[in-house]
Every structure is written in C-alpha cells, then in structure tokens.
Amino acid sequence: MNRPKFFTTNKKGENYELKAELNSEYRHVRKDAVKKVIANMTVGKDVSGLFPDVLKNMQTEDLELKKLVYLYLMNYAKSQPELVILAVNTFVKDSDDPNPLIRALAIRTMGCLRVDKIIDYLTEPLRKCLKDENPYVRKTAAICVAKLYELTPELTVEQDFVNEVKELVSDINPMVVANAVIALQDIHELSATKDVFIINQSVLNKLLNALNECTEWGQVAILTAMADYKATSSKEAEGLCERVLPRLQHANGAVVLAVVKVLMINMQHVADKNTTKVLCRKMAPPLVTLLSSPPEVQYIALRNINLVLQRRPEVLSNEIRVFFTKYNDPPYVKMEKLEIMIRLCNDRNVDQLLSELKEYANEVDVDFVRKSVNAIGRCAIKIEEAAERCINVLLDLINTGVSYVVQEAIVVIKDIFRKYPHTYEGIIPTLCENLEALDEPQARASLIWIIGEYAERIDNADDLINTFLENFMDENIQPNENQDLVQRVLQTATTECDNADIRDRAYVYWRLLSTDPQAAKAVVLSDKPPVHGESNSLSAGLLDSLLSQVGTLASVYHKPPETFIAGRKYGADNVQATVHDPTNDEYDATAPPAKIQEALRNNDIDNLLDLDWDEPSAAAAALNAGQGVPSTSDAAGSLGDLMSLDATVPTSPASPASTSTMSPSQSLGDIMQLYNNGSASSTPPPAMNHNNMAVGMPFGSAAPAAASSSSMNDLFDFNMPTTTTTPPPQQHHQPSQPQKQGNGTPNDDPFAGLF
C-alpha cells in the first residue's frame, strides 16, 4: 500500500500565498499583501514568519505602505530582534527624508521598537530630529526621548537628551512645548532623584504663554504641570489664578477640571477673601455645565465636585437644584448626586430638599430609596433647626408600611436620637408598633438600641426585648434592663450559640458584670460618640492629596494613586514582563509567609497544626524554660499550644508553688477563670460539653482557680484569691443560688448599683 500519498497536498497555505504576493513585481499587489498581513496580525494570527518579506517593502515612496510596514515592525520586533537590525539603514535614511511626516514616522517607530540592539543606532537620528526645523518632527522627538529614558536612563542622560528636551519648553511652537512638558513629566516620575522637571518662575511664564494656543490635550498637560508650582506669595497665586481663569470656558471637561485643580491649589495661598469669593463664584458655571454631559462624564464630574465641595462648599451653595436626579439617570449618578445634595443642604434650602427626597422615597429602585431615606436623617443631623421637619417626613414614610422604607427610617432615627437625646421620644410608640415588620439585622438592632436607651419610658420594654430573644440564635442582640433577662441572654450566648464572636462577647460581659458592676455600668452606659451628618468626609491630609489629583483616577476612586498602582508603572511592557517573569519577587502585601509558601510548593499541607511557622529562637526557648513558661515543643495538646495553656507546666526550682498539672482536655477550662469574682468563693465549675466549652455557668458565678494565677490571669494581671471548689453540678441551665462566704453571709448582688 502506498502510504506517502495520503500525507502530501497541493495546498501551500495562506502564508505561502502571502509570501508570494509580498515578493510580487507589482506595487499594488505588494500593498494589498501587506494589508492582508496586517489584517491577520490584528485578528491574532501568527504572521511573524513573513518578517523578512515584509521588511523588503520598507523602501518605498508610498507613505501608506510605509506606515503599514512600520506597524508590522512594531508588533513583531521583540520576537525577531535579529532581523530588526536589517531595518536600521532604512530608518536612518527616512530620518533624513525631505518629507517631515516621514522623518517623524521614522523616529516615532524607532522609539516604539524597544529593542536594545537598535538603541545605539537611534541616538544620532534622535539628536537631529530634536533640532529639526519642522515643529511636528520636534514634538515627536520629544516623546521619543521619554521612551528612550524608560529603556536606558543612563544613555539618555549621557547623550544630554534630557537637557535638549528642557530647551524645547522655550520653543515658539505651543505643540512642541506641550509634548516637551509631557516628556519631562514622565522622565521626572521615572527618575530616582525626582529633580528632572522643577517648575520655577521662568518656566511658569513660558507655560502660561503657550497655554492659550495649545490643543486641548496640550492644555491639560501644561495645567497639570502648573499644579506642581508652589506660589511664593499671595499676589503671585492670585495672578496665576487670573491667568488660567479663561480656560474654564473650554468645551473639553478635562481642561475644565485641570483649571479647577490649579485654582483649588493656589486659592489656599490667596489672602484676600473677596478674591477667593470671586474665584469660587466663577468656578460654579463650568462645573454645572459638566452635568449636561453623558452619564459617564457626569459621574467623573460629580466625584470631582464632591472633593471640591468638601474644601469649598460655597462654590455651589446656590446650585442645589441642578443636582436633583432625573428619571433616566443611571443609579451610580443618582447616588453621587444624593451625596452632593447633602453637602449643599443648609437652612435656606432644606425644605426644598426634603420635598425632593420624599419623592425619591416613593421610587421603585430599592437601593436608591434607602439612600434617600438615609439622606433625610442626615439632613436632620446636619441642621438642628430642620430636625423636627425631617422627623415628620420620616414618620410619614413609616406610615406607608413599605418594609424597606420603614426599616431604613428606623435605622436613621436611631442616629437622630443619638444626636438629639431625649428630644423626640414621643415617636417611640410608633416605632415599636412596627416591630413585626422588621426582618433586617441592622433595623432590628437599631430598634433594640432605642428600646434599651429609653427603657424607663417604655412600659413593656421587657416584653419587647423578649420578642427579640426568641430569635437570638439567628442574630446578635444586646441585653438590657433586667437581671433575669441578662442572665438568660448570656446563658444562651455561651451555651447554645455557635457563633464565636457572639460567644466571646458574652464571656466579656459576663466577666465584666461579675467582677465590677460599676465598671460595667461605666462601659455599657458611657457617653455615645457624637454623630455627624457629613459621615463620608475625607480627612484633611487625604483631601489635600486628592485635590492635587483632580481630573485623574485618584479623584474618581477617592484614593491616593499609590493605593491602586502600588507605586509602579503599569504600561503594557511592564505588565507582560511581570506576568512572564518567574523570578519576580516584588513585595506582595497579601502573600503568605515564606515558610507557608515553601510548604505550598512542596505540597506539605497535610496538617497545618503540625507546621510551626513562628519557631522561637534558642535564646527565647532557654529563657522560657528558665521561667517556667512552656515552649512550643513542650505542650501536650495542640489546643493547649494554641491558647498557651499547657498540660504540664515545668517550673524553675525557685518557684515550686507555681506547678500545676491538668489534662489537655481541661486546658481550655482555664479560660473560665476569667469569670472568677474576687469577693466571693467559687461556685461549682461548669460541666464541659463535647466542644470543651463551658455550659451551665450561672450569672455571677466563678470558675475554679488554680493555686496561683492562671496563664490567662497573668496575661490580664488579674489577681484572684485562692478558692476551694466543689464537685461539678449536673444541672446545666438552672440559675444558681447565692453562695455562702466563710462567715455565712450571702454574696452581694452583682447587679447592685448597675440599674
């Protein structure tokens, strides 16, 4: 049987056909072939094998064909660095071409190839283009210097390219000035010393002269650079503001935001308050105009306006109506407008705002309705004179019976009660009537707080709290008012609740009440922190930082740039190098410790409890052994190791009395010594359930103490007297009777003086 015929074919493949067309004697055929190659490259096909054939078409007078070939070279230069050398002669020849477009194209392409082998050939053409008579070539060469500096900073400085770009700042053509500023800013960011581009009075005047004649993006670049200038006097800052003020009328929103940034920075140095008021008044119309842009631009403008209003609320104090939401606004725009309306709220416009917010509370978007109800409460907190009107609006919303409206209203009324205590207690019965409608944890917690805070004014406060206690296993509630109720809550939290956070909090309260009721009263019934209407305001330092970044992503995220770029450049080359570099060991804050990483690489994660990640030093181990403190290798039980409650504690000869022996299963029981009452003898220790968790401990009782302070007692420096213990009780949930002291008198009531 003749098998080879099945493996032969007459089809040569698409690349073979393209190769033939690229070597055609007809110019139009070669041009169409290059277009096909670019099309295949665009859709992701590998056409790098055609590199030599495409390279042959570089030497042509057809500008369109030359651009296509240069585009192909930029894409495949990294994969074919040896063959790129063949194109150097053409690049050098094109950099001397009479056509300035070809000269600029050649120098731009050489800067984009980013291949080390052609850098030495780039320097001389670049030097000539920086001195070129045509401004288009000069501005292209300025950007090329920044690209060269990113590849080889030493060579760029050695060839004096940076100083030549600085000279371009004085160029007569504003486009060249703008590109020179952009290049110098990039070089300044990349330099280690950060001293490449320092703006002084002379440079500032040159930038101001070029500002009015630049393109819109050139104006953005120049204004961004001017924001770094530090005015030396109030008069100079005022003059700078006056020079950039006309740019507020520009149609491009980026230019407007760049001018706002310069004004906000320099207004801090203006001493004349009247001048500041005039500048604020002139900033308002351009910012309002930005709100007529598409939703995406609106959102960016709103985020920046939010920052401006935190520093200068008077800028838009009379423009609250323009922030009223429209029916077709996207949700993210509506939410941001709500925040700004709260900032602009004052005693003159609060009635108008409350009427608008009440309408918003009747819309169908649940999240927006919640924010609107919350905004009504923030108005009450911000403006005391309007608090009663806000309460009336909230009561009207509660009477609608809409579940999420009622619950959000109760949440915000709690904050109003905190801001104005004992002022609006008359609405508490209305709130309690809606108890059955509450099914969200935050709303239920808010009503519980109100009941506890005003329990003396609510006749059936115990019954209301008992209603919440029935669902205690599903949510975390705070006990109030009654000793039996408190005991039931703590009993349930410590014996039946699986949530460790709730259980630990119950232990803290138990120990606090049993040790010092007056201290418990001071902690639980302490003065509440003040409530402010501007809950989302940024700190002064962060606000200063973000105002210097107006118009950038930092002003949209409301975060400094270093928090989301980690101080590194994230260009395409850097990202690819980071992804493909297996030796990349830059610090990652979220990475696990080195030992855990090694264990993961070795697949040594069968038992994490057996891995000693924090191994003590030899000196520390010796010191611990000398002081009777167990080392990590001496503990008998793994849980005992975790809690530093060892099964057998070795002691030094100097302190034999501190020896204590217990089984590993009892080590966690030492925690219960935290509930020991220093003024009373101990009650029987609680029985241990299958989780080694104490159960059945009655309120006010004390766990057994060892002959000396336990490890946990030493930690908190609680000195407990030595007590005697009795056998464990069998009843887990019966309240304990007061224990007798040595003289036969009952214990003091642990709630004495608490209520």
Side-chain angles (χ1 to χ4, degrees):
M1 185 176 182
N2 190 9
R3 292 181 180 276
K5 68 178 182 179
F6 297 105
F7 299 94
T8 60
T9 178
N10 294 327
K11 295 182 179 180
K12 301 296 184 179
E14 185 178 10
N15 281 1
Y16 181 85
E17 296 176 358
L18 289 174
K19 185 173 183 178
E21 293 177 3
L22 288 171
N23 291 281
S24 173
E25 59 180 329
Y26 300 105
R27 181 191 302 177
H28 69 278
V29 175
R30 296 197 303 269
K31 186 174 181 179
D32 290 342
V34 173
K35 290 182 178 180
K36 293 178 183 178
V37 171
I38 298 299
N40 288 338
M41 181 184 73
T42 304
V43 298
K45 294 183 180 179
D46 183 14
V47 288
S48 59
L50 300 174
F51 197 95
D53 302 287
V54 175
L55 204 61
K56 294 177 183 178
N57 293 276
M58 281 186 64
Q59 297 184 6
T60 177
E61 296 179 357
D62 189 340
L63 184 59
E64 183 182 3
L65 178 59
K66 189 179 288 289
K67 287 182 178 180
L68 292 173
V69 174
Y70 281 176
L71 180 61
Y72 178 89
L73 288 177
M74 286 188 286
N75 192 64
Y76 285 111
K78 286 188 176 181
S79 61
Q80 306 281 350
E82 294 82 6
L83 296 178
V84 175
I85 301 294
L86 302 177
V88 168
N89 289 334
T90 304
F91 282 129
V92 174
K93 180 180 177 182
D94 286 348
S95 65
D96 290 328
D97 194 273
N99 189 340
L101 293 178
I102 294 180
R103 297 201 300 272
L105 181 63
I107 202 65
R108 179 191 295 117
T109 305
M110 291 185 73
C112 293
L113 291 180
R114 310 180 76 82
V115 177
D116 295 338
K117 294 184 178 180
I118 71 166
I119 290 178
D120 293 335
Y121 302 97
L122 173 63
T123 55
E124 287 306 317
L126 179 58
R127 194 184 310 279
K128 288 188 295 184
C129 288
L130 286 171
K131 304 290 186 181
D132 197 279
E133 61 182 9
N134 190 282
Y136 181 76
V137 179
R138 294 199 301 273
K139 80 180 188 67
T140 305
I143 298 296
C144 187
V145 172
K147 296 177 180 179
L148 180 63
Y149 187 90
E150 187 177 357
L151 291 176
T152 57
E154 299 82 5
L155 177 63
T156 309
V157 175
E158 178 184 344
Q159 296 291 331
D160 204 33
F161 286 142
V162 175
N163 289 330
E164 292 188 22
V165 175
K166 289 182 179 179
E167 294 177 1
L168 292 181
V169 176
S170 305
D171 198 277
I172 59 174
N173 189 286
M175 292 191 306
V176 178
V177 175
N179 278 28
V181 169
I182 294 173
L184 289 173
Q185 284 181 313
D186 288 346
I187 295 173
H188 181 84
E189 290 295 327
L190 292 172
S191 66
T193 56
K194 305 293 183 183
D195 59 352
V196 175
F197 189 42
I198 305 299
I199 299 180
N200 52 32
Q201 183 65 45
S202 175
V203 174
L204 180 66
N205 289 331
K206 296 174 183 176
L207 297 182
L208 288 171
N209 291 332
L211 181 62
N212 294 334
E213 301 177 12
C214 281
T215 62
E216 52 192 6
W217 300 116
Q219 292 181 30
V220 172
I222 291 177
L223 289 168
T224 301
M226 289 168 56
D228 295 331
Y229 178 72
K230 308 298 182 184
T232 57
S233 65
S234 173
K235 185 176 181 180
E236 184 181 13
E238 184 177 341
L240 178 58
C241 292
E242 292 293 339
R243 293 286 297 273
V244 302
L245 206 56
R247 297 295 93 203
L248 283 174
Q249 309 302 322
H250 203 284
N252 191 314
V255 177
V256 174
L257 291 178
V259 176
V260 169
K261 173 167 60 177
V262 175
L263 292 176
M264 292 297 296
I265 292 175
N266 287 277
M267 281 167 62
Q268 302 178 23
H269 307 291
V270 176
D272 187 3
K273 293 184 178 181
N274 292 330
T275 302
T276 303
K277 291 181 180 179
V278 171
L279 293 174
C280 290
R281 189 168 63 250
K282 291 184 178 180
M283 285 170 58
L287 292 176
V288 171
T289 303
L290 292 177
L291 299 182
S292 60
S293 307
E296 297 80 8
V297 180
Q298 277 191 59
Y299 181 74
I300 295 174
L302 290 168
R303 295 291 284 177
N304 285 275
I305 289 172
N306 197 331
L307 293 176
V308 172
L309 293 179
Q310 290 187 45
R311 176 56 53 84
R312 304 273 181 188
E314 65 272 15
V315 172
L316 296 169
S317 58
N318 299 322
E319 305 289 346
I320 191 172
R321 287 186 60 85
V322 300
F323 296 101
F324 288 172
T325 63
K326 302 176 182 177
Y327 73 96
N328 58 348
D329 280 340
Y332 56 88
V333 172
K334 289 183 176 181
M335 298 297 186
E336 200 60 34
K337 284 184 175 180
L338 269 181
E339 288 293 327
I340 294 177
M341 282 190 282
I342 295 300
R343 297 197 182 281
L344 295 178
C345 179
N346 53 47
D347 53 357
R348 301 189 305 274
N349 58 27
V350 65
D351 290 332
Q352 185 181 17
L353 179 58
L354 287 178
S355 176
E356 188 75 11
L357 293 176
K358 189 175 181 180
E359 292 296 327
Y360 297 162
N362 295 321
E363 294 195 9
V364 295
D365 186 344
V366 176
D367 291 336
F368 181 59
V369 170
R370 288 180 179 275
K371 287 286 187 181
S372 301
V373 176
N374 183 270
I376 295 173
R378 290 172 62 184
C379 288
I381 294 171
K382 182 178 181 180
I383 305 174
E384 184 175 358
E385 295 79 6
E388 185 173 354
R389 283 170 280 175
C390 296
I391 288 288
N392 293 332
V393 173
L394 291 173
L395 289 177
D396 291 341
L397 295 176
I398 290 176
N399 291 332
T400 61
V402 181
S403 175
Y404 54 87
V405 174
V406 173
Q407 299 190 84
E408 190 66 31
I410 290 178
V411 170
V412 77
I413 286 175
K414 178 205 68 174
D415 292 334
I416 296 176
F417 280 1
R418 288 180 56 191
K419 178 69 173 179
Y420 311 110
H422 308 292
T423 305
Y424 302 105
E425 301 169 3
I427 69 171
I428 293 178
T430 304
L431 304 181
C432 295
E433 290 173 1
N434 293 275
L435 186 147
E436 298 298 333
L438 305 184
D439 56 7
E440 297 178 1
Q442 189 175 5
R444 293 168 69 86
S446 298
L447 186 56
I448 291 169
W449 183 90
I450 294 173
I451 294 172
E453 193 73 10
Y454 297 94
E456 70 279 1
R457 301 180 181 273
I458 303 176
D459 295 335
N460 60 338
D462 293 350
D463 297 336
L464 295 175
I465 293 295
N466 272 317
T467 303
F468 291 104
L469 185 59
E470 294 173 359
N471 299 322
F472 183 84
M473 297 302 297
D474 300 327
E475 61 188 1
N476 181 17
I477 64 172
Q478 293 297 329
N480 291 281
E481 182 61 30
N482 186 280
Q483 176 174 349
D484 294 335
L485 183 59
V486 172
Q487 182 168 341
R488 284 181 55 202
V489 170
L490 294 180
Q491 188 92 7
T492 304
T494 55
T495 61
E496 301 177 16
C497 187
D498 295 329
N499 190 308
D501 293 332
I502 299 175
R503 195 166 55 235
D504 292 346
R505 177 166 293 196
Y507 285 145
V508 170
Y509 281 126
W510 204 325
R511 172 58 190 268
L512 188 61
L513 288 168
S514 62
T515 303
D516 190 348
Q518 293 301 323
K521 180 177 180 180
V523 171
V524 178
L525 303 180
S526 61
D527 294 335
K528 308 301 184 295
V531 179
H532 301 286
E534 304 295 342
S535 57
N536 296 328
S537 297
L538 302 172
S539 64
L542 178 58
L543 183 59
D544 288 337
S545 174
L546 294 180
L547 285 175
S548 65
Q549 301 289 338
V550 166
T552 66
L553 278 178
S555 64
V556 177
Y557 292 151
H558 285 189
K559 296 179 179 178
E562 57 270 14
T563 61
F564 54 87
I565 64 172
R568 292 175 287 181
K569 286 286 186 180
Y570 273 91
D573 295 334
N574 302 75
V575 173
Q576 292 177 2
T578 303
V579 171
H580 297 296
D581 184 8
T583 62
N584 182 29
D585 56 353
E586 294 188 15
Y587 174 74
D588 184 2
T590 62
K595 291 187 176 181
I596 296 182
Q597 293 184 32
E598 182 179 358
L600 292 175
R601 286 194 296 269
N602 299 332
N603 199 25
D604 186 17
I605 54 175
D606 293 337
N607 188 354
L608 291 178
L609 290 178
D610 293 339
L611 300 177
D612 186 12
W613 308 119
D614 299 315
E615 183 176 311
S617 62
L623 180 60
N624 290 342
Q627 295 179 349
V629 179
S631 64
T632 55
S633 61
D634 293 332
S638 60
L639 188 56
D641 297 342
L642 185 62
M643 302 302 297
S644 297
L645 302 172
D646 46 293
T648 303
V649 184
T651 59
S652 64
S655 56
S658 62
T659 303
S660 175
T661 304
M662 63 181 70
S663 65
S665 63
Q666 293 174 326
S667 59
L668 191 59
D670 284 351
I671 298 178
M672 303 311 298
Q673 292 181 357
L674 292 175
Y675 313 118
N676 194 4
N677 192 335
S679 62
S681 62
S682 64
T683 58
M688 304 300 292
N689 61 11
H690 296 291
N691 295 327
N692 286 341
M693 181 55 64
V695 298
M697 174 172 286
F699 184 78
S701 63
S708 63
S709 299
S710 66
S711 302
M712 192 68 76
N713 284 339
D714 292 339
L715 179 62
F716 290 99
D717 197 20
F718 289 140
N719 295 321
M720 302 290 181
T722 303
T723 59
T724 59
T725 61
T726 58
Q730 298 300 321
Q731 299 296 329
H732 291 177
H733 301 290
Q734 295 298 326
S736 64
Q737 299 297 328
Q739 299 297 316
K740 300 286 185 177
Q741 292 183 356
N743 56 6
T745 60
N747 290 344
D748 294 337
D749 183 2
F751 287 98
L754 180 58
F755 304 105

